[in-house]
Amino acid sequence: MSHCYGLINNDRRNPLFLFWKTFILTVIPSLAFFISEASGQVLPVTLGNFKSAKKITNGISIQTSSGNLKAVVYSSSVIKINVTRNAVFDDFSYAVVATPDESVRFSVQDGVQHISIITDSLQLIIQKKPVRITLLNKSGKTVNEDDAAFGTSWVGNEITSYKKLFPSEKFIGLGEKTGELNRRGNAYVNWNTDAFGYSDRTDPLYCTIPFYIGIHDSLVYGIFLDNSSRTHFNFGASQNRFSSFAAEDGDMNYFLIYNSTVAKIIESYTWLTGRMPMPPLWSLGFHQCRYSYYPEVKLLSIAQTFRDKKIPCDVLWFDIHYMQDYKVFTWNQDRFPDPKGMLGKLESLGFKTVSIIDPGIKAEPGYFAYDEGLKNDQFLKYSDGSVYLGAVWPGWCAFSDYTRAESRKWWGTLFRQNISDGLDGFWCDMNEIATWGQSIPSNVILNFDGHPATYRMGKNIYGFQMARATYEGTKELLNGKRPFVLTRAGYAGLQRYTAIWTGDNLAEENHMLLGVRLVNSLGLSGVPFAGVDVGGFAGETSSDLMARWIAVGSFSPFFRAHKVINGKDAEPWSFGEKTEEICRNYIQLRYNLLPYIYSAYYEATQTGIPLQRSLAINYFNDEKIYKGNAVNEYLFGQSFLIVPYVTTQAAVPVYLPTGDWYELYTDKKYQGENEFYHNAPVEKLPVFVKAGSIIPMQSAIQTTAVKPADTLTIHFYNGPEKNMFIYYEDSGNGYEYTTGGYYSREIFFDPLAREIVLDKPQGSYSSHFKNLRLIFHGFDEKTLLLKINDSPLTLKHEEISFISSLQKFDPLGAISQLSNSRLPIAEMKNSTAKIVISYASY
């Protein structure tokens, strides 16, 4: 053809010109179309035009010229959209636990050109010709709408919803995804993958959460695509026309969520998919792990060293070398000849223990787990009914079908001996599923609780259901104690059963920051209990990086240091005295902050708002949070602003959002909406405290197995805006809290009324703390007159402290001393009434 083009181009008056032009522009495209059709390729098919509609419970079902659409009102701010080419909609979901609220008020209006569903929060407009969807807020502003040409379309089995891309639109969330906070201009795939040593642009990773939040023109919405097949999200990558989300198999099932803030969107999403239960208190302390600690004497030595060096730690972990020939639910008798005795010794030192558990069960006749699973038909099978075997650590393995109720129950019973020995928690690893070769055939079948599906639909759900089976089984065996489960793989809704960590990272500066962003994104996606391998799993960690990473980790939800096999030792004391001291200080600060942290976890159980909060949760309209190092910054609870940064720079860029802020270590006050460089020596992670904050702290402890002193210290930071903090306490490891066995107290700071109010406590649990110590930051002692319940307050100076820029509070060293003083008149145990602390300036 190049020769023909030469003839044409050499002389456009040549008679061959018109012939070739006609052939190229008409014959070849027609021939290509014919070949495409003959080879089985298909062109996109849209949902088509409206044909008919009928009302259904909480919504409407519509037949179109190419398929069927259903819109169901779940709440005033949540509507589910189903699109299928089948006669019956597939509503089965492992993620969604909410049901449509039949008491919600809404109206359906059927017009000539469109059908409208109207709640008190939103309007859903379904255009008829062609069928397209638009989401409006109550005042009629467009929040989200289908691309006018494409709407929802099929290409073969793949189904895609195309959405209009607004000029200023940003996209955040999508779970465990690398990259920047704003995902605009990028595309992502959900296909749970064993991604050892991933980079800051690797996609996909281990976990699938197909939920994102869109932001434009001060409007906020959420979209959750509830389809467990391989899914694709495009936020304007390689084109500037639309955003889209697609599923390679199954129906288009997605939820549209509208509300006024990112926090409210997360609250609605976690109402749909469930919220975490209260974790065991010990799981919020510091965890030390190695691949692997053995034999028994090594682990006991590690435990004793923590205690001797007075570095707080609650949990030691067993990686795969504790097993006999890598067979799950076994102990290596040479390395650990007396598991129960060893675990008892660790318990006496105040340590809880967690062991790894993989889904692969060695296909070895005589091995009890394999024999039972085979006998009772518990394993994944090929479509011809034979058991699927894949090679992992033990060799050829069978895999329990966790999507089958009977198999989940059976799996749970296998933990009986582990729990009897004294193990406290379990770590679900390799559950993507990871196998040697990384290519499980698509014709492996999963039960899907009576909705059989191929591995194409089951891969992304498998790890989630393994964590569920582990949680449910161990909960039944723990005699009223709370299970702790950690998973590597998961799907939307995993927060109901498990914490998650971000897999096999690297001991590099950029990986520390990448881990921060991954945990931030998981928090935006409904998962509050998340963390990274602090220090980096693979590679060698420098002393400065370890010091900084421990400091950052102390302000993270799940706080575990973990290191690969055959590397240098990576315990806090392994990097020299300076690093050891820095690690000790920050880990101790973590333990001092446990009343604040535990209260934040209670908030997560009620609202879904995470402990580690991307700045987008509170400041989504601030353009500067999406740029530079601000994408790595985050709030730890409602009060602390953490500024992680590499250790190679002594001064780091800081961005403070709106409001007033105090530097944690000096109480120096800064105005918000402010960018500046701040000194960042390795021993002091830049941390700021929001004005108006209320922060409860306790005395120093080495393990949560030991109670702190009976005085609770509460820090108040002066500021111009009201604030409220819910202090929460319970037994720390039981379920009495679900029936009223908790202690909860709302604490208010009101600068206009010049009052601090500790409201009447709620719940039947008696607080451990008998006395209060109040520390005031940013108040002027000379111009302050305090009253409690209208009575003048006359106390010794050590009973109430005033912190100013001249009188520094050192959270890394002084808190244990400050906590020794008491405020007897505010005894929490006996005070069942409201306490009002008034202050007046003269």
Side-chain angles (χ1 to χ4, degrees):
M1 287 299 293
S2 60
H3 178 66
C4 296
Y5 273 115
L7 288 176
I8 296 170
N9 291 331
N10 287 338
D11 187 357
R12 286 182 174 269
R13 293 169 296 179
N14 191 305
L16 289 175
F17 175 78
L18 292 178
F19 168 78
W20 284 116
K21 178 179 179 181
T22 303
F23 184 83
I24 291 168
L25 296 180
T26 61
V27 177
I28 288 179
S30 299
L31 183 61
F33 178 77
F34 174 78
I35 294 171
S36 173
E37 290 293 297
S39 64
Q41 296 182 33
V42 293
L43 297 176
V45 176
T46 70
L47 192 53
N49 292 330
F50 173 89
K51 292 180 68 177
S52 64
K54 64 178 180 179
K55 288 187 178 180
I56 57 174
T57 303
N58 271 57
I60 190 167
S61 179
I62 296 172
Q63 183 181 12
T64 76
S65 55
S66 299
N68 296 289
L69 179 147
K70 181 171 65 171
V72 178
V73 178
Y74 268 64
S75 74
S76 61
S77 58
V78 179
I79 294 182
K80 182 181 181 182
I81 306 297
N82 295 57
V83 178
T84 185
R85 286 189 290 193
N86 301 319
V88 178
F89 293 98
D90 182 5
D91 288 314
F92 180 76
S93 174
Y94 279 116
V96 175
V97 292
T99 55
D101 181 357
E102 295 187 16
S103 68
V104 67
R105 293 185 177 182
F106 70 94
S107 62
V108 177
Q109 300 174 4
D110 190 351
V112 175
Q113 296 182 340
H114 59 260
I115 297 173
S116 302
I117 299 177
I118 303 171
T119 75
D120 61 9
S121 300
L122 57 80
Q123 304 173 58
L124 187 78
I125 309 300
I126 304 173
Q127 179 183 300
K128 291 185 175 181
K129 291 185 179 180
V131 173
R132 301 289 183 264
I133 292 172
T134 302
L135 179 68
L136 309 174
N137 67 5
K138 192 175 180 180
S139 61
K141 291 183 178 179
T142 301
V143 177
N144 180 266
E145 67 176 306
D146 283 353
D147 178 90
F150 304 134
T152 295
S153 306
W154 289 270
V155 177
N157 287 332
E158 182 175 275
I159 184 169
T160 304
S161 283
Y162 297 89
K163 300 292 183 177
K164 177 181 177 180
L165 190 61
F166 290 85
S168 63
E169 196 162 14
K170 300 177 181 67
F171 304 92
I172 60 177
L174 210 63
E176 190 185 60
K177 293 296 182 186
T178 58
E180 301 298 319
L181 171 59
N182 180 11
R183 306 201 177 281
R184 177 75 176 254
N186 294 286
Y188 302 89
V189 177
N190 288 312
W191 191 241
N192 291 358
T193 299
D194 179 3
F196 177 88
Y198 52 90
S199 74
D200 59 5
R201 290 292 173 184
T202 300
D203 184 66
L205 296 183
Y206 305 90
C207 181
T208 289
I209 305 178
F211 164 68
Y212 71 88
I213 298 170
I215 303 164
H216 68 88
D217 304 308
S218 297
L219 300 169
V220 188
Y221 69 90
I223 287 181
F224 168 42
L225 171 59
D226 189 14
N227 183 306
S228 62
S229 73
R230 190 194 298 257
T231 52
H232 302 260
F233 286 75
N234 185 314
F235 301 115
S238 302
Q239 47 81 33
N240 62 359
R241 175 171 175 175
F242 52 74
S243 63
S244 66
F245 44 93
E248 291 190 3
D249 289 285
D251 290 351
M252 176 57 70
N253 292 335
Y254 71 95
F255 290 84
L256 281 168
I257 305 170
Y258 171 72
N259 219 307
S260 56
T261 66
V262 168
K264 290 291 185 182
I265 297 294
I266 295 171
E267 190 170 347
S268 292
Y269 168 74
T270 55
W271 170 76
L272 272 177
T273 60
R275 298 178 181 133
M276 68 174 292
M278 284 302 295
L281 178 61
W282 58 261
S283 69
L284 307 185
F286 178 61
H287 303 238
Q288 183 70 46
C289 184
R290 182 68 188 262
Y291 167 40
S292 297
Y293 287 129
Y294 66 87
E296 173 183 313
V297 64
K298 174 67 173 178
L299 194 65
L300 291 172
S301 173
I302 293 290
Q304 189 60 55
T305 304
F306 270 106
R307 297 296 176 246
D308 291 344
K309 290 183 172 291
K310 297 191 182 304
I311 300 173
C313 184
D314 259 79
V315 193
L316 295 175
W317 290 60
F318 295 90
D319 211 316
I320 59 174
H321 293 101
Y322 82 93
M323 293 181 275
Q324 185 67 50
D325 301 322
Y326 305 118
K327 291 185 288 189
V328 291
F329 308 109
T330 68
W331 287 92
N332 184 298
Q333 291 302 302
D334 293 329
R335 295 166 180 165
F336 302 101
D338 180 18
K340 193 164 190 174
M342 174 194 60
L343 295 173
K345 291 175 185 177
L346 291 171
E347 186 79 23
S348 70
L349 288 170
F351 285 95
K352 299 294 185 181
T353 49
V354 177
S355 68
I356 200 167
I357 199 82
D358 290 348
I361 294 177
K362 185 174 177 61
E364 178 183 271
Y367 169 35
F368 77 97
Y370 178 69
D371 288 346
E372 284 184 21
L374 204 58
K375 178 182 177 181
N376 298 311
D377 195 26
Q378 309 292 9
F379 297 137
L380 293 177
K381 296 179 180 179
Y382 287 107
S383 56
D384 67 357
S386 59
V387 172
Y388 164 72
L389 298 180
V392 207
W393 295 110
W396 290 105
C397 293
F399 297 83
S400 178
D401 184 356
Y402 304 112
T403 70
R404 183 172 176 262
E406 296 86 348
S407 298
R408 289 195 298 271
K409 188 170 183 61
W410 169 72
W411 176 261
T413 66
L414 297 176
F415 292 90
R416 183 173 286 108
Q417 186 60 52
N418 286 154
I419 289 173
S420 176
D421 287 340
L423 285 170
D424 301 286
F426 298 94
W427 169 19
C428 298
D429 194 21
M430 303 290 284
N431 54 349
E432 289 76 27
I433 303 169
T435 57
W436 309 153
Q438 302 292 349
S439 187
I440 293 178
S442 295
N443 62 348
V444 171
I445 306 299
L446 292 87
N447 180 268
F448 259 57
D449 285 282
H451 304 77
T454 69
Y455 190 66
R456 287 169 63 88
M457 290 297 292
K459 180 176 175 64
N460 286 338
I461 214 76
Y462 189 84
F464 171 34
Q465 292 304 292
M466 180 189 182
R468 173 188 177 182
T470 304
Y471 175 89
E472 291 174 344
T474 56
K475 180 180 180 180
E476 190 169 327
L477 294 168
L478 279 168
N479 297 319
K481 295 180 182 178
R482 301 173 195 171
F484 171 76
V485 178
L486 181 74
T487 191
R488 191 168 78 175
Y491 183 73
L494 68 91
Q495 65 272 8
R496 305 196 300 268
Y497 307 111
T498 182
I500 191 170
W501 101 106
T502 60
D504 298 335
N505 62 355
L506 301 177
E508 299 174 357
E509 301 270 359
N510 67 317
H511 256 257
M512 177 179 66
L513 300 181
L514 170 57
V516 165
R517 294 195 300 277
L518 288 172
V519 175
N520 285 353
S521 187
L522 284 162
L524 285 167
S525 309
V527 182
F529 203 179
V532 306
D533 280 346
V534 170
F537 178 64
E540 298 300 344
T541 312
S542 71
S543 57
D544 282 355
L545 178 57
M546 187 65 181
R548 175 56 51 84
W549 213 329
I550 283 283
V552 173
S554 69
F555 292 99
S556 68
F558 172 60
F559 186 20
R560 183 185 75 162
H562 185 31
K563 180 57 64 176
V564 73
I565 196 171
N566 295 330
K568 295 179 181 178
D569 289 347
E571 294 76 35
W573 55 82
S574 303
F575 299 86
E577 291 185 2
K578 178 182 177 182
T579 299
E580 178 183 330
E581 183 64 20
I582 295 169
C583 292
R584 179 186 294 107
N585 287 341
Y586 276 99
I587 295 171
Q588 186 61 73
L589 177 59
R590 165 78 170 210
Y591 277 73
N592 296 141
L593 283 168
L594 280 176
Y596 172 85
I597 293 169
Y598 199 65
S599 297
Y601 270 100
Y602 170 71
E603 182 181 3
T605 69
Q606 303 302 299
T607 65
I609 300 300
L611 174 62
Q612 182 167 324
R613 305 173 184 181
S614 163
L615 296 187
I617 292 179
N618 289 53
Y619 309 102
F620 62 90
N621 278 325
D622 186 340
E623 291 293 328
K624 291 184 178 179
I625 71 166
Y626 303 98
K627 301 174 182 177
N629 190 57
V631 302
N632 299 314
E633 295 181 10
Y634 62 93
L635 292 173
F636 187 66
Q638 61 174 238
S639 297
F640 295 100
L641 177 67
I642 314 302
V643 186
Y645 212 78
V646 297
T647 63
T648 52
Q649 289 188 233
V652 302
V654 172
Y655 176 66
L656 299 179
T658 186
D660 292 337
W661 300 86
Y662 294 84
E663 186 182 33
L664 176 63
Y665 313 107
T666 66
D667 265 17
K668 181 180 178 180
K669 194 174 180 180
Y670 294 83
Q671 287 187 332
E673 298 184 276
N674 186 10
E675 295 176 274
F676 56 94
Y677 271 81
H678 189 276
N679 290 335
V682 69
E683 64 270 17
K684 286 194 175 180
L685 173 71
V687 179
F688 298 85
V689 182
K690 190 174 183 179
S693 287
I694 301 162
I695 302 173
M697 298 178 71
Q698 66 184 21
S699 64
I701 55 174
Q702 296 297 298
T703 165
T704 60
V706 175
K707 294 291 185 182
D710 66 357
T711 296
L712 183 71
T713 299
I714 305 181
H715 295 259
F716 295 95
Y717 286 80
N718 199 11
E721 297 181 2
K722 290 182 179 181
N723 189 30
M724 188 269 282
F725 181 87
I726 300 178
Y727 173 78
Y728 179 85
E729 192 181 338
D730 62 30
S731 67
N733 199 6
Y735 290 93
E736 302 87 352
Y737 76 94
T738 63
T739 55
Y742 60 88
Y743 180 99
S744 175
R745 195 162 200 164
E746 293 181 344
I747 305 174
F748 297 89
F749 170 69
D750 188 345
L752 294 179
R754 295 193 294 276
E755 285 184 345
I756 293 169
V757 178
L758 285 77
D759 216 338
K760 183 178 178 180
Q762 304 294 319
S764 60
Y765 183 77
S766 294
S767 173
H768 162 75
F769 299 103
K770 306 302 187 290
N771 302 284
L772 286 177
R773 175 168 173 75
L774 309 181
I775 298 182
F776 292 84
H777 301 256
F779 296 81
D780 188 344
E781 178 183 1
K782 296 178 181 179
T783 61
L784 208 61
L785 174 65
L786 292 178
K787 294 182 179 181
I788 293 186
N789 293 346
D790 290 330
S791 297
L793 180 61
T794 304
L795 292 169
K796 297 178 183 178
H797 181 75
E798 66 268 16
E799 292 174 331
I800 290 186
S801 296
F802 300 89
I803 306 297
S804 67
S805 59
L806 300 177
Q807 186 179 0
K808 295 179 181 179
F809 162 59
D810 181 7
L812 298 181
I815 185 64
S816 59
Q817 288 75 36
L818 287 171
S819 297
N820 291 330
S821 302
R822 298 180 176 182
L823 181 58
I825 58 173
E827 290 188 359
M828 296 182 76
K829 180 178 179 181
N830 299 320
S831 178
T832 58
K834 182 191 297 185
I835 299 172
V836 180
I837 302 170
S838 308
Y839 59 94
S841 296
Y842 291 92

